[in-house]
Amino acid sequence: CGHRPLILSCLLCRTRFFSLPVRIRTQQNECPGYQVCSGQGVGCLPGDDTRYMKDMVDFADTDVIIVGAGPSGLSCAYELSKCKDIKVAVIDASVAPGGGGWVGGQLFSSMIVRKPAHEFLKELEIPFDEKENYVVVEHAALTTATLIAKCIKNGVKLFNATSVEDLIVRDGVISGVVTN
């Protein structure tokens, strides 16, 4: 149980969980400065705050941070997740990750993918109709949902409803992000 300079609030009811300095509660002990969410927010359950905080601490030191959980960010995270020795976190400001990947072009539900990018769909096991120079996925949401599920299954940590506010630069190198 260590001291961490963190302020965190419930995304739904805005109850502040931590103030500076704090000690983070672990299963073995209770640490000072910790408050449980008042439960005013819909979906706030006992332990939700502890699980979220554990994820934040576990991924405070990560190898790759991807900003944005749209089709490109998720595809990048999926590719990196194949390397089990790389720790990947995706941060997205939206409550619902996926960006514009839930609909195809022109807001149609089907999605057209030019060849040879259909090889990626094959790898993800997403069915499509083959055409001459492209393929058609019946519904774009299938691609997005599959990509999100495979990323999470492969160990990518998705922090949705979290904004990246600034970059941390040390000696001219980006070494982290500031989130809100």
Side-chain angles (χ1 to χ4, degrees):
C1 183
H3 290 282
R4 298 276 184 186
L6 297 169
I7 297 176
L8 191 69
S9 61
C10 173
L11 297 173
L12 297 170
C13 70
R14 301 293 180 211
T15 299
R16 181 174 276 181
F17 293 131
F18 298 101
S19 59
L20 302 172
V22 299
R23 298 193 70 171
I24 298 167
R25 181 173 72 173
T26 65
Q27 290 182 345
Q28 289 76 30
N29 61 6
E30 297 278 334
C31 299
Y34 182 83
Q35 287 181 281
V36 176
C37 175
S38 65
Q40 295 170 10
V42 177
C44 293
L45 300 173
D48 282 352
D49 51 348
T50 306
R51 282 187 291 275
Y52 184 80
M53 198 60 228
K54 182 183 180 313
D55 290 342
M56 291 291 282
V57 171
D58 288 348
F59 279 82
D61 184 18
T62 191
D63 298 314
V64 178
I65 297 171
I66 298 168
V67 180
S72 297
L74 291 171
S75 296
C76 179
Y78 173 74
E79 288 298 320
L80 289 169
S81 75
K82 295 177 192 176
C83 303
K84 298 302 177 192
D85 58 333
I86 299 176
K87 194 173 184 180
V88 180
V90 178
I91 302 173
D92 193 86
S94 178
V95 172
W102 294 106
V103 293
Q106 311 266 333
L107 300 178
F108 296 137
S109 59
S110 60
M111 180 175 71
I112 295 173
V113 177
R114 291 185 188 171
K115 293 181 179 179
H118 71 295
E119 297 297 331
F120 186 62
L121 296 174
K122 285 181 185 177
E123 182 178 330
L124 293 172
E125 300 174 349
I126 296 170
F128 54 81
D129 294 327
E130 187 110 21
K131 303 296 180 185
E132 187 176 333
N133 297 321
Y134 63 93
V135 300
V136 180
V137 176
E138 185 176 335
H139 205 293
L142 177 61
T143 304
T144 303
T146 302
L147 198 48
I148 291 169
K150 289 195 182 248
C151 283
I152 292 171
K153 183 179 178 186
N154 287 355
V156 171
K157 188 62 193 172
L158 174 61
F159 293 99
N160 55 319
T162 305
S163 298
V164 172
E165 300 293 334
D166 204 353
L167 301 176
I168 299 170
V169 180
R170 292 191 180 125
D171 299 323
V173 177
I174 297 172
S175 60
V177 296
V178 177
T179 62
N180 184 9

